[in-house]
Amino acid sequence: MNVIATKNAPAAVGPYTQAIDCGDTVYCSGQIPLDPQTGAVVEGGLEAQAHQMFRNVKAVLAEAGLELENVVKTTVFMTDLGQFAALNAIYAEYFAEPYPARSCVEVSALPKGVLVECEVIARR
């Protein structure tokens, strides 16, 4: 089991790692839309936040030698499922068919007041 950490994605905001590499499988902690250089939440609503979130996911995967094509499962947390269609449009810019399995749930709040968070599981 190896810890995956990159400066190209935000540092953990709690007692966890960006990802754990278990050989054939990489478990990525939830990524929120923080700018990796400043640690600040990106502005611009759901669209800007979702794009930054997925860039952060890509950066963690890249550190493990993987790409979005290796993702087999995603879990997306949103504070407003009324924006589900907007998220789906952005999601489709990052993932292609066959799409990973996915859960998407509404939550009352996310760290740092962000609108969206995504965790992934990827396979080699």
Side-chain angles (χ1 to χ4, degrees):
M1 189 166 73
N2 296 310
V3 171
I4 302 297
T6 178
K7 293 183 181 194
N8 295 323
V13 295
Y16 60 90
T17 59
Q18 290 173 328
I20 295 291
D21 185 337
C22 293
D24 287 342
T25 307
V26 175
Y27 298 89
C28 297
S29 295
Q31 289 296 310
I32 60 175
L34 299 180
D35 179 305
Q37 277 67 49
T38 66
V41 175
V42 298
E43 296 182 17
L46 177 72
E47 183 173 327
Q49 288 195 11
H51 282 292
Q52 184 63 54
M53 171 188 73
F54 286 125
R55 286 193 295 271
N56 293 342
V57 168
K58 285 176 66 173
V60 173
L61 289 171
E63 187 67 21
L66 301 172
E67 299 177 352
L68 290 174
E69 291 79 16
N70 296 98
V71 173
V72 295
K73 172 71 167 82
T74 67
T75 304
V76 178
F77 305 92
M78 300 179 68
T79 59
D80 179 8
L81 275 178
Q83 297 186 39
F84 185 67
L87 175 75
N88 276 340
I90 296 164
Y91 187 95
E93 293 180 34
Y94 291 89
F95 295 100
E97 290 187 34
Y99 297 111
R102 180 179 84 175
S103 300
C104 186
V105 297
E106 181 175 88
V107 296
S108 63
L110 288 166
K112 298 195 175 261
V114 302
L115 304 173
V116 65
E117 178 176 1
C118 182
E119 64 184 30
V120 304
I121 300 170
R123 298 244 333 153
R124 290 200 160 71

